Amino acid sequence: MRQEIERLRVEYAPMPDDAMDALGDASWEISSAIINAPAESEPDLAAKFSHVAFMISEYDGECIDESEAVERACADLAKFRNEEWMRVMCPTPRQASN
């Protein structure tokens, strides 16, 4: 969705300032939601890294939240893999009986 908003900003520029601001605000909110969303699966993590890749390749140069997105995606990946390893290597008694 964020990529589509950014495409619209480019395709229909110039446009009235209010419209451009609304699209910018929507893009910012979507980006923030992706960055701060919990990563509970590999597809969640892949979505975060895909978002980071889009931000890096964005036509305007560096996004203000680009570094935060990279750091959060890497931290979420490390946390996810650590929790995954703990489930496999240190199962709870209930997991061990299944």
Side-chain angles (χ1 to χ4, degrees):
M1 187 182 306
R2 181 165 188 260
Q3 291 175 352
E4 184 62 18
I5 290 171
E6 292 302 321
R7 185 192 64 74
L8 291 171
R9 287 178 66 187
V10 171
E11 185 175 330
Y12 293 102
M15 66 176 73
D17 287 344
D18 289 346
M20 186 64 87
D21 290 347
L23 289 174
D25 291 347
S27 180
W28 177 267
E29 290 297 324
I30 292 166
S31 180
S32 183
I34 293 168
I35 292 167
N36 295 310
E40 299 174 351
S41 65
E42 276 102 354
D44 290 346
L45 290 161
K48 284 181 175 257
F49 281 98
S50 177
H51 180 61
V52 166
F54 171 73
M55 293 173 81
I56 291 168
S57 67
E58 203 165 26
Y59 60 90
D60 286 0
E62 183 180 358
C63 297
I64 194 164
D65 53 353
E66 182 179 278
S67 294
E68 179 187 357
V70 171
E71 291 169 11
R72 184 68 184 260
C74 290
D76 287 348
L77 175 61
K79 180 181 180 220
F80 180 82
R81 292 296 183 215
N82 186 51
E83 289 173 354
E84 183 179 57
W85 184 83
M86 291 298 290
R87 281 191 301 273
V88 171
M89 299 307 292
C90 306
T92 64
R94 184 178 182 162
Q95 290 172 323
S97 67
N98 290 335

